[in-house]
């Protein structure tokens, strides 16, 4: 990623290519018109009483004015299990964030605070925060809440996969005890670890969680979740096979954005953007 000069996240004046960059909050936004070719040049007069950003070049083509529910998916910051590369699932509430993880959570909060300002300007400012019940996601969400000035709601639909008997073990330990099972768990998507969930199972749960958010209508919701769960959210949004979801990189404290429309022609706007270095 190209480095940029130090920037105040509260000021929507960042130069460059981000949608909505360089505009003042007081400036009216141009009306929206579909640009299927991705040229980014077409716009129309704004509808009465509405303020909308032009749908940026490269967005999924649409032929209506429907407004989506935008879900900003944030992975929690680093824990000791992240470092040891252990499979840390939903069957145990811990571990908490470590010192690096707390710093990462602050960076993620600063990045999410810029959503709708000088980054992804066609997205509304976040109005809700939802978090998995795990300790690491609750701690990350608390940092997010302090920055955004919003309360946190807990929803188990967004918790991590249940790894069953693999809980707490590294890939090497799993392979030693259950030879030949870990790789197809990732690449087939339907294999279950002993006492745990398959990747497809996680996808069913995440689809329910996303649909519940969709039913609430157009707005921006921040969801603090986990690596496998966020991959599942992206995978079901795209309609991809569960065996391909592990090909998505979802680093600690990274940000992904999905936009959920009423007709289910949903869009992945961002996948796994790191929160540090902005």
């Amino acid at each position: 990623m190209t480095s940029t000069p130090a920037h105040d996240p509260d000021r929507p004046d960042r130069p460059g290519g981000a949608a909505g960059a360089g505009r003042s909050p007081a400036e009216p936004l141009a009306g929206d018109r579909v640009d299927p070719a991705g040229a980014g040049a077409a716009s129309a007069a704004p509808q009465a009483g509405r303020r909308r950003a032009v749908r940026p070049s490269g967005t999924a083509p649409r032929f209506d004015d429907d407004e989506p529910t935008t879900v900003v998916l944030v992975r929690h910051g680093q824990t000791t299990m992240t470092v040891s590369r252990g499979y840390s699932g939903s069957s145990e509430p811990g571990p908490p964030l470590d010192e690096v993880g707390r710093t990462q959570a602050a960076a993620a909060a600063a990045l999410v605070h810029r959503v709708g300002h000088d980054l992804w300007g066609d997205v509304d400012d976040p109005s809700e925060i939802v978090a998995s019940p795990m300790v690491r996601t609750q701690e990350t969400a608390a940092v997010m809440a302090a920055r955004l000035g919003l309360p946190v709601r807990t929803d188990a639909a967004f918790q991590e996969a249940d790894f069953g008997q693999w809980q707490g073990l590294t890939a090497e330990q799993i392979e030693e005890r259950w030879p030949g099972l870990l790789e197809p768990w990732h690449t087939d998507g339907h294999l279950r670890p002993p006492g745990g969930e398959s990747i497809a199972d996680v996808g069913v749960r995440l689809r329910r969680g996303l649909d519940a958010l969709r039913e609430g209508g157009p707005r921006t919701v921040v969801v603090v979740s986990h690596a496998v769960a966020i991959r599942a959210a992206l995978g079901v949004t795209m309609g991809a096979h569960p065996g391909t979801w592990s090909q998505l990189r979802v680093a600690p404290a990274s940000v992904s954005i999905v936009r959920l429309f009423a007709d289910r022609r949903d869009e992945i706007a961002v996948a796994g953007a790191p929160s540090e270095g902005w």
Side-chain angles (χ1 to χ4, degrees):
M1 179 180 297
T2 304
S3 62
T4 58
H7 178 74
D8 179 355
D10 293 330
R11 292 179 56 202
D13 57 0
R14 182 184 182 210
R23 64 174 173 84
S24 163
E27 293 174 359
L29 300 178
D32 186 7
R33 187 165 61 177
V34 172
D35 180 16
S43 64
Q47 298 181 22
R50 301 185 70 179
R51 286 166 51 85
R52 302 176 60 184
V54 174
R55 202 182 297 279
S57 175
T59 56
R62 292 200 61 85
F63 303 89
D64 55 39
D65 289 327
D66 282 356
E67 291 291 325
T69 299
T70 300
V71 182
V72 179
L73 297 154
V74 181
R75 186 183 171 192
H76 61 81
Q78 177 179 292
T79 72
T80 55
M81 290 287 281
T82 311
V83 177
S84 69
R85 304 183 69 83
Y87 278 66
S88 181
S90 60
S91 61
E92 294 181 0
L97 299 177
D98 62 17
E99 183 176 353
V100 171
R102 290 189 289 273
T103 300
Q104 291 174 332
L111 178 58
V112 171
H113 186 264
R114 294 173 63 184
V115 171
H117 293 100
D118 64 329
L119 293 174
W120 305 298
D122 60 320
V123 176
D124 290 335
D125 295 352
S127 59
E128 297 178 36
I129 302 175
V130 179
S132 152
M134 319 314 295
V135 172
R136 54 197 179 275
T137 42
Q138 290 288 314
E139 290 181 341
T140 302
V143 176
M144 202 76 55
R147 183 62 187 263
L148 300 180
L150 296 170
V152 177
R153 175 170 63 86
T154 300
D155 189 340
F158 299 103
Q159 68 188 16
E160 183 57 300
D162 185 341
F163 296 120
Q165 293 182 35
W166 295 354
Q167 170 63 30
L169 303 179
T170 65
E172 293 76 16
Q173 291 170 327
I174 294 169
E175 182 60 27
E176 180 181 349
R177 301 183 196 184
W178 292 272
L181 291 187
L182 183 58
E183 182 177 358
W185 181 80
H186 285 283
T187 60
D188 173 78
H190 295 280
L191 184 146
R192 294 187 177 99
E197 291 180 300
S198 70
I199 287 178
D201 292 335
V202 180
V204 170
R205 172 160 52 78
L206 265 292
R207 169 54 74 194
R208 287 198 301 265
L210 292 176
D211 282 347
L213 296 180
R214 186 198 311 266
E215 290 171 3
R219 66 205 191 283
T220 298
V221 183
V222 178
V223 173
V224 185
S225 189
H226 308 262
V228 175
I230 292 173
R231 287 182 182 129
L234 296 170
V236 298
T237 298
M238 193 67 182
H241 187 278
T244 67
W245 300 349
S246 61
Q247 295 170 239
L248 293 161
R249 179 183 292 197
V250 180
S254 62
V255 173
S256 303
I257 300 177
V258 299
R259 310 199 77 194
L260 309 176
F261 291 86
D263 63 4
R264 294 183 179 274
R265 289 193 67 251
D266 301 330
E267 178 187 48
I268 296 176
V270 179
S275 58
E276 299 167 293
W278 289 78

